[in-house]
C-alpha cells in the first residue's frame, strides 16, 4: 500500500466512523486493557490535512554543505510555509529513488513512508497505523452506552479526577506516577506484567491529549489543529511521551469543551464536567 492509497482509505473510514461508537469502545475496554485507538484517529481527522506524498526538494548547488543548510532552513519554517514537491511532480530519477526505498522514504508533511508492505502496528502515528486502528474499531461490534463496564467508567473517572487535582507544576510524568499507586493499576499488574500495565496507562493519558482534553495554549494538539503527527515537537530531546501531553502541566487543567465533546452524558464522567 502506498502513502496516497492509505490516505484515501483513511478518509473513507473516517466518513463512516461514529463518534459515540468509538467513544463507547474506548471507555469499555479500559478495565480489560483493551486500548482502542480508533477514537484517537477520529479526533485527528477533524483537522487532517489531505495531501499527496511530498518532500522538500532543494535545487543542487554543487556544494553538499550548502545543500544541507538550505534544507535545514526550509525545515525550520512553519509546516505550511515550506516548499514541497509532490511525488507526481518529481523527476523520474527521484521517483525511482523513493519507490526503491519506499518504507524508509518519508513524506515531509506527515512523516509516513512512501509505502508500507506489511500490516501496520497499532497506536503509532503514521497514516498506515491510523488506518489500521480506525478500520479495526469501525469493524468491531458496537456497544451501547448503557452497557459500558462500570469498572471502566470508574477507572476513567479516577484518571480524570487525578488530573483535575494536579498541582500547577505537575507534568504528565508526575500524574503517571500518582496513577500507578491507585488500585486499578495494581489490579492491572496482577493480571499482567509491569511493562504492559505501564504501556496501557501511558496510552490512555496520551489519547486524552489527542482528544484535546490535555494540552497547553501553545501546544493544542490534533483536536484543534493539524501538525506532523509522525514528527511532533518534544519537550526534551529524549522524551518518550506523545504530543501534546508531553508539554501539559497541572496549571493547564482539563479542556472542558473537549471533555463535553467526548464524554458528556456518561455516568461518573458528568461529575468531572461539573468539577472542571
Amino acid at each position: 500500500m502506498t502513502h496516497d492509497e492509505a490516505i484515501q482509505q483513511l478518509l473513507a473510514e473516517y466518513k463512516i466512523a461514529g463518534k459515540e461508537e468509538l467513544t463507547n469502545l474506548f471507555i469499555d475496554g479500559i478495565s480489560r486493557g483493551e486500548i482502542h485507538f480508533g477514537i484517537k484517529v477520529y479526533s485527528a481527522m477533524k483537522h487532517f490535512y489531505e495531501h499527496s506524498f511530498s518532500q522538500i526538494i532543494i535545487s543542487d548547488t554543487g556544494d553538499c554543505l550548502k545543500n544541507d543548510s538550505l534544507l535545514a532552513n526550509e525545515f525550520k519554517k512553519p509546516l505550511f510555509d515550506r516548499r514541497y514537491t509532490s511525488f507526481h511532480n518529481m523527476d523520474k530519477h527521484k521517483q525511482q529513488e523513493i519507490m526503491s526505498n519506499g518504507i524508509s522514504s518519508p513524506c515531509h508533511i506527515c512523516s509516513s513512508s512512501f509505502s508500507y508492505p506489511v500490516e501496520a502496528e497499532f497506536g503509532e502515528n503514521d497514516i498506515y497505523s491510523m488506518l489500521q486502528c480506525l478500520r479495526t474499531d469501525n469493524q468491531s461490534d458496537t456497544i451501547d452506552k448503557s452497557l459500558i463496564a462500570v469498572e471502566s467508567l470508574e477507572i476513567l473517572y479516577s484518571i480524570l479526577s487525578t488530573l483535575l487535582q494536579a498541582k500547577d507544576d505537575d507534568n504528565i510524568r508526575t500524574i503517571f506516577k500518582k496513577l500507578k499507586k491507585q488500585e486499578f493499576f495494581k489490579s492491572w499488574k496482577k493480571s499482567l506484567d509491569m511493562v504492559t500495565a505501564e504501556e496501557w496507562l501511558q496510552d490512555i493519558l496520551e489519547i486524552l491529549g489527542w482528544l484535546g482534553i490535555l494540552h497547553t495554549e501553545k501546544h493544542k494538539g490534533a483536536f484543534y489543529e493539524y501538525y506532523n503527527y509522525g514528527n511532533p515537537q518534544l519537550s526534551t530531546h529524549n522524551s518518550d511521551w506523545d504530543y501534546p501531553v508531553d508539554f501539559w502541566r497541572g496549571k493547564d487543567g482539563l479542556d472542558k469543551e473537549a471533555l463535553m465533546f467526548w464524554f458528556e452524558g456518561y455516568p461518573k464522567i458528568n461529575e468531572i464536567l461539573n468539577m472542571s
Side-chain angles (χ1 to χ4, degrees):
M1 182 186 296
T2 66
H3 170 283
D4 291 6
E5 290 170 342
I7 283 185
Q8 291 308 308
Q9 291 184 37
L10 182 56
L11 291 167
E13 289 294 335
Y14 177 58
K15 190 174 182 179
I16 63 172
K19 184 191 77 171
E20 183 171 322
E21 288 81 355
L22 294 172
T23 305
N24 292 348
L25 279 173
F26 169 67
I27 298 175
D28 187 61
I30 289 175
S31 61
R32 299 185 300 278
E34 295 176 4
I35 308 301
H36 287 273
F37 293 99
I39 189 174
K40 156 186 164 177
V41 180
Y42 186 89
S43 184
M45 295 304 292
K46 283 177 86 260
H47 296 285
F48 184 76
Y49 177 62
E50 184 179 356
H51 63 282
S52 60
F53 182 91
S54 302
Q55 289 187 341
I56 296 171
I57 307 294
I58 300 297
S59 298
D60 189 0
T61 64
D63 184 328
C64 291
L65 291 177
K66 189 173 182 180
N67 288 346
D68 290 343
S69 178
L70 289 171
L71 186 62
N73 287 337
E74 198 68 24
F75 271 111
K76 289 177 183 177
K77 297 178 182 178
L79 185 66
F80 294 115
D81 290 345
R82 302 168 188 169
R83 294 176 298 168
Y84 298 104
T85 301
S86 68
F87 178 80
H88 303 291
N89 290 325
M90 296 176 189
D91 61 50
K92 290 185 178 180
H93 174 76
K94 185 62 178 178
Q95 288 180 341
Q96 188 58 46
E97 177 187 324
I98 289 172
M99 287 189 292
S100 61
N101 298 290
I103 200 167
S104 58
S105 293
C107 170
H108 290 167
I109 296 176
C110 68
S111 291
S112 299
S113 60
F114 176 78
S115 60
Y116 206 96
V118 295
E119 195 171 87
E121 292 184 25
F122 278 87
E124 299 301 319
N125 298 337
D126 61 84
I127 56 173
Y128 303 101
S129 178
M130 290 172 66
L131 171 60
Q132 179 82 348
C133 292
L134 188 54
R135 175 173 286 163
T136 297
D137 279 3
N138 277 347
Q139 293 174 350
S140 297
D141 293 334
T142 57
I143 180 169
D144 189 85
K145 184 185 295 186
S146 63
L147 298 177
I148 293 174
V150 174
E151 186 182 354
S152 292
L153 286 164
E154 290 176 346
I155 291 173
L156 183 57
Y157 172 83
S158 295
I159 292 171
L160 292 173
S161 59
T162 300
L163 286 161
L164 196 59
Q165 296 166 31
K167 297 177 181 178
D168 283 357
D169 59 348
D170 282 349
N171 60 27
I172 200 65
R173 296 159 190 80
T174 310
I175 300 300
F176 183 73
K177 290 176 182 177
K178 289 181 180 179
L179 291 171
K180 284 173 63 177
K181 297 176 182 178
Q182 295 197 10
E183 288 303 315
F184 75 84
F185 187 82
K186 294 175 182 178
S187 176
W188 284 357
K189 283 197 302 180
K190 288 180 181 177
S191 59
L192 295 160
D193 59 87
M194 172 65 90
V195 173
T196 303
E198 288 183 339
E199 288 176 348
W200 285 359
L201 182 56
Q202 182 166 345
D203 283 339
I204 292 171
L205 291 172
E206 289 179 338
I207 287 173
L208 293 179
W210 282 79
L211 301 188
I213 294 168
L214 298 178
H215 64 82
T216 73
E217 189 60 33
K218 182 178 180 181
H219 303 282
K220 290 183 176 295
F223 184 75
Y224 287 105
E225 61 189 8
Y226 179 80
Y227 61 93
N228 186 336
Y229 305 142
N231 187 29
Q233 296 181 61
L234 301 175
S235 62
T236 60
H237 75 280
N238 61 348
S239 175
D240 60 351
W241 282 84
D242 215 344
Y243 182 90
V245 297
D246 191 23
F247 290 90
W248 180 87
R249 296 293 182 273
K251 64 183 179 182
D252 297 308
L254 275 63
D255 186 316
K256 189 168 185 176
E257 180 184 342
L259 271 170
M260 292 181 66
F261 180 84
W262 297 107
F263 300 135
E264 186 176 23
Y266 289 85
K268 293 288 286 185
I269 311 305
N270 278 340
E271 296 178 30
I272 298 292
L273 287 170
N274 294 329
M275 293 163 60
S276 61

